[in-house]
Amino acid sequence: MSHDHDHDNELDPFAARVRALETILTRKGLIDPAAIDVIVDTYETRIGPRNGAKVVAKAWSDPAYADWLRRDATAAIESLSYTGRQGEHMQAVFNTEDTHNLVVCTLCSCYPWSVLGLPPVWYKAPPYRSRAVIDPRGVLEEFGLTLPTTKKIRVWDSTAELRYLVVPMRPDGTEGWSEERLADLVSRDAMIGTALARQPA
Ligand code: FE
């Protein structure tokens, strides 16, 4: 198709596709754009990585909770009233001295919305999705995280049925801290695995 003139209203291809889909579904009466806006707003402003950070801080503080989280993350997370969308099962993967965990969705952008809110743009981008599996160590270095070569990196590929939450290692020097204070050390990226928990100042 000939296309030799400039536009001043171009959307990137992904946004254009979303816009087209939304238009079609709205015209067919299958979705209500106002309802979609409410859902997006909920995930943008009400549900965010703070939920996940509270889960991690509780696991750091309470060995019984950590054990429950390890065995049945879906239930342990639901007990804090962070319920996912239907059919979403969670698995918590714990970083250790020997192993670092990294989460990706190679197929699309499956992500633990109920504990981390909306996924970052890079999480959905093809370079991250392919390279996290092929060269996780290189990807982490681009995030500014250089791990010792002796540390194993385990990559977890999310699906629509199973989403992962990385539990980073608790930083030294935080003995006796409250859960609230600990949660401030837990970033979204630390729960995806592209960062570690922050060190106490
Ligand atoms: Fe996906």
Side-chain angles (χ1 to χ4, degrees):
M1 182 171 77
S2 162
H3 206 96
D4 53 4
H5 58 278
D6 290 329
H7 295 271
D8 59 3
N9 62 342
E10 281 204 5
L11 297 166
D12 70 68
F14 187 74
R17 195 179 282 193
V18 169
R19 178 76 60 84
L21 260 177
E22 186 173 340
T23 304
I24 292 165
L25 293 171
T26 305
R27 282 202 193 132
K28 287 182 176 289
L30 294 173
I31 59 167
D32 171 2
I36 300 277
D37 287 345
V38 169
I39 293 168
V40 171
D41 180 66
T42 299
Y43 279 97
E44 264 178 1
T45 59
R46 287 212 348 216
I47 301 172
R50 290 287 299 164
N51 286 359
K54 286 177 194 162
V55 171
V56 170
K58 191 167 181 60
W60 283 348
S61 309
D62 178 350
Y65 184 78
D67 187 52
W68 188 18
L69 189 63
R70 204 184 297 273
R71 284 183 290 106
D72 185 353
T74 308
I77 290 168
E78 272 178 11
S79 75
L80 302 181
S81 308
Y82 309 142
T83 51
R85 297 177 299 172
Q86 255 190 349
E88 177 176 315
H89 290 274
M90 294 288 311
Q91 183 175 337
V93 288
F94 289 66
N95 288 347
T96 66
E97 290 291 350
D98 301 324
T99 306
H100 180 85
N101 295 286
L102 178 66
V103 177
V104 66
C105 175
T106 55
L107 267 183
C108 43
S109 58
C110 298
Y111 188 74
W113 291 51
S114 57
V115 278
L116 296 188
L118 290 179
V121 170
W122 54 258
Y123 185 86
K124 300 181 278 187
Y128 177 76
R129 286 160 38 204
S130 56
R131 292 194 46 236
V133 179
I134 299 164
D135 178 23
R137 209 169 286 275
V139 167
L140 291 182
E141 280 183 6
E142 284 166 33
F143 276 92
L145 177 56
T146 303
L147 294 174
T149 48
T150 49
K151 188 168 276 216
K152 213 177 93 186
I153 301 173
R154 189 151 181 198
V155 181
W156 300 84
D157 194 357
S158 310
T159 66
E161 289 80 35
L162 188 57
R163 320 270 167 118
Y164 300 96
L165 177 73
V166 174
V167 180
M169 289 177 72
R170 178 171 176 165
D172 291 335
T174 58
E175 293 74 19
W177 282 33
S178 67
E179 283 181 29
E180 199 175 15
R181 209 170 154 208
L182 286 170
D184 284 339
L185 301 178
V186 186
S187 66
R188 175 197 70 199
D189 287 5
M191 292 179 281
I192 300 174
T194 52
L196 304 179
R198 293 184 196 95
Q199 294 299 314

